[in-house]
Amino acid sequence: MIALPAWLTDERLSADIEPLLRQTDDESLERLATEAQAVTLRRFGRIISLYAPLYLSNFCSSGCVYCGFASDRKSPRRKLDTDEIEKELLAMKALGVGDVLLLTGERTNSVGFDYLRRAVEIAARHMPRVAVEAFPMSVAEYRGLAECGCTGMTIYQETYDPDNYRELHRWGPKQDFLERLETPERAITGGIRSVGIGALLGLSEPVSEALAVLRHARYLCKTYWKAGVTVSFPRIRPQEGGFQPGFTVPDLFLARMIFAFRIGMPDVDLVLSTRESSAFRDGMAGLGITRMSIASRTTVGGYVEAETAGASQFEVSDDRSAEAFCAALRANNLEPVFKNWDAAYNNPLPEKERA
């Protein structure tokens, strides 16, 4: 048995939100949407901040049953060299992107800390804001990334159910539930200014999963109150391997979850990626969601080689161009912002502000 941290099982941390998630009637959903929109407008105005992911590599050492990059997949493996990283970033800049999320699989001999640090160094020369979504690292490694210009990191726990987690992660370093759970705290301790968390919805029972994410976010906000925390809402998408999730997460439940999180965590950025359809994303923008990915390519080298890049981690649902997506936001009286972060702030979070 894993000794779980007290906050993960403390139902008091989510008692106010659980009833909102368990309601199923349309009338309560309308009320939640109205309240969530009012909170969003009051705290964030009409701004939607935008970012784009850059997949550096599809090498991976783990055996996650739900992932197109799992080490037993037959698709060709590739990592970008330094020249290719530069070209991808220039292609992204041409789209107007100023906020990049660098992604890898789990740590391998080919793609480890030194490779990721070099990629951060290159990205920081081109982008005002650089974040990573990669393998769990030590405090010292996160400090090294922060010193190179990395200000954010995202890591999904995938599922907060430890028994289900064990079954879904067949081999590799990702089998360690607690090490992954503690990663955001190591990142903040290392000087990373903002951490993003979430669960891959569909892997475990949705209400229980949502409550666990909420407890995690509230624990981080309270314990590391000077650091930023963001919450994402990824639903599992089709991928190589054909994994079928055990739980269905309907649009109406996901909308209810987003509204409840906005009401319960009014100051936290809520993130929705291109995993979701254009219609759903347009509906959620400004109703709770304040940060969104745009023009995403989930293949390695996908911005320069859009037509020829290899296998993706998952299928993108909203494949609109940056121009089309921004036009849709403006039509809803929202203002897309590619850059709301000045590179002058890309130094590590001061030690006195890490807790």
Side-chain angles (χ1 to χ4, degrees), residues 40-55:
T40 303
L41 186 61
R42 186 163 60 247
R43 301 300 180 105
F44 293 89
R46 299 186 180 279
I47 298 296
I48 302 293
S49 63
L50 305 177
Y51 73 97
L54 172 55
Y55 281 77

Side-chain angles (χ1 to χ4, degrees), residues 7-8 116 130 146 187 189:
W7 57 260
L8 184 55
L116 185 58
V130 179
T189 303

Side-chain angles (χ1 to χ4, degrees), residues 50-84:
L50 305 177
Y51 73 97
L54 172 55
Y55 281 77
L56 300 172
S57 166
N58 60 3
F59 284 93
C60 190
S61 56
S62 286
C64 310
V65 299
Y66 50 81
C67 183
F69 287 175
S71 61
D72 60 343
R73 304 299 186 241
K74 302 303 182 184
S75 56
R77 302 290 170 167
R78 180 186 176 190
K79 71 173 183 179
L80 299 178
D81 62 29
T82 54
D83 289 341
E84 290 172 322

Side-chain angles (χ1 to χ4, degrees), residues 129 131 151-154 187-188 191-196 227-230 341 349:
R129 187 170 191 270
T151 60
M153 64 80 68
T154 294
I188 295 171
I192 298 295
R193 288 180 172 270
S194 178
V195 296
V229 175
T230 68
W341 184 273
L349 187 68

Side-chain angles (χ1 to χ4, degrees), residues 52-54 80 83-98 100 122 126-127 294-297 301-306 322-323 338:
L54 172 55
L80 299 178
D83 289 341
E84 290 172 322
I85 294 172
E86 196 108 30
K87 290 176 181 176
E88 288 285 299
L89 289 164
L90 291 174
M92 297 173 78
K93 284 183 73 174
L95 297 174
V97 175
V100 65
I122 296 169
H126 293 281
M127 298 287 179
I294 188 171
S296 300
R297 306 286 187 270
Y303 292 95
V304 172
E305 307 165 2
E323 293 83 357
F338 283 98

Side-chain angles (χ1 to χ4, degrees), residues 274 276-284 317-320 325 328:
T274 53
E276 297 302 327
S277 70
S278 57
F280 188 80
R281 296 216 315 155
D282 289 350
M284 290 298 102
S317 184
D318 185 355
D319 60 359
R320 288 175 291 181
F325 180 69

Side-chain angles (χ1 to χ4, degrees), residues 42-284:
R42 186 163 60 247
R43 301 300 180 105
F44 293 89
R46 299 186 180 279
I47 298 296
I48 302 293
S49 63
L50 305 177
Y51 73 97
L54 172 55
Y55 281 77
L56 300 172
S57 166
N58 60 3
F59 284 93
C60 190
S61 56
S62 286
C64 310
V65 299
Y66 50 81
C67 183
F69 287 175
S71 61
D72 60 343
R73 304 299 186 241
K74 302 303 182 184
S75 56
R77 302 290 170 167
R78 180 186 176 190
K79 71 173 183 179
L80 299 178
D81 62 29
T82 54
D83 289 341
E84 290 172 322
I85 294 172
E86 196 108 30
K87 290 176 181 176
E88 288 285 299
L89 289 164
L90 291 174
M92 297 173 78
K93 284 183 73 174
L95 297 174
V97 175
D99 187 332
V100 65
L101 178 66
L102 305 177
L103 294 100
T104 72
E106 291 298 298
R107 192 190 303 251
T108 66
N109 291 333
S110 297
V111 179
F113 171 72
D114 291 339
Y115 173 84
L116 185 58
R117 179 177 57 187
R118 180 60 179 145
V120 168
E121 290 173 344
I122 296 169
R125 295 203 302 261
H126 293 281
M127 298 287 179
R129 187 170 191 270
V130 179
V132 298
E133 184 178 327
F135 43 84
M137 286 171 260
S138 67
V139 170
E141 288 174 326
Y142 281 117
R143 185 176 297 115
L145 294 186
E147 290 169 351
C148 292
C150 179
T151 60
M153 64 80 68
T154 294
I155 191 160
Y156 299 144
Q157 187 62 25
E158 314 297 16
T159 176
Y160 286 80
D161 180 332
D163 294 329
N164 200 18
Y165 186 96
R166 189 182 312 111
E167 294 181 7
L168 292 166
H169 301 94
R170 299 168 292 173
W171 58 77
K174 201 169 174 178
Q175 285 186 307
D176 193 329
F177 179 90
L178 288 179
E179 197 224 4
R180 194 168 188 85
L181 191 65
E182 295 163 356
T183 298
E185 296 180 73
R186 293 197 302 274
I188 295 171
T189 303
I192 298 295
R193 288 180 172 270
S194 178
V195 296
I197 64 169
L200 186 52
L201 301 172
L203 296 182
S204 294
E205 195 281 317
V207 173
S208 298
E209 204 81 299
L211 295 174
V213 175
L214 182 73
R215 292 169 193 151
H216 195 181
R218 283 179 162 174
Y219 163 76
L220 290 171
C221 287
K222 181 179 180 180
T223 307
Y224 304 95
W225 57 275
K226 290 190 177 181
V229 175
T230 68
V231 177
S232 298
F233 303 87
R235 284 189 289 189
I236 194 157
R237 293 280 299 148
Q239 76 302 129
E240 184 183 351
F243 173 78
Q244 295 298 314
F247 297 86
T248 300
V249 183
D251 286 356
L252 290 179
F253 176 81
L254 183 55
R256 185 179 294 277
M257 182 178 174
I258 290 168
F259 300 154
F261 270 64
R262 171 53 65 224
I263 293 164
M265 303 196 72
D267 297 315
V268 168
D269 259 321
L270 302 183
V271 185
L272 199 63
S273 79
T274 53
R275 286 176 179 265
E276 297 302 327
S277 70
S278 57
F280 188 80
R281 296 216 315 155
D282 289 350
M284 290 298 102

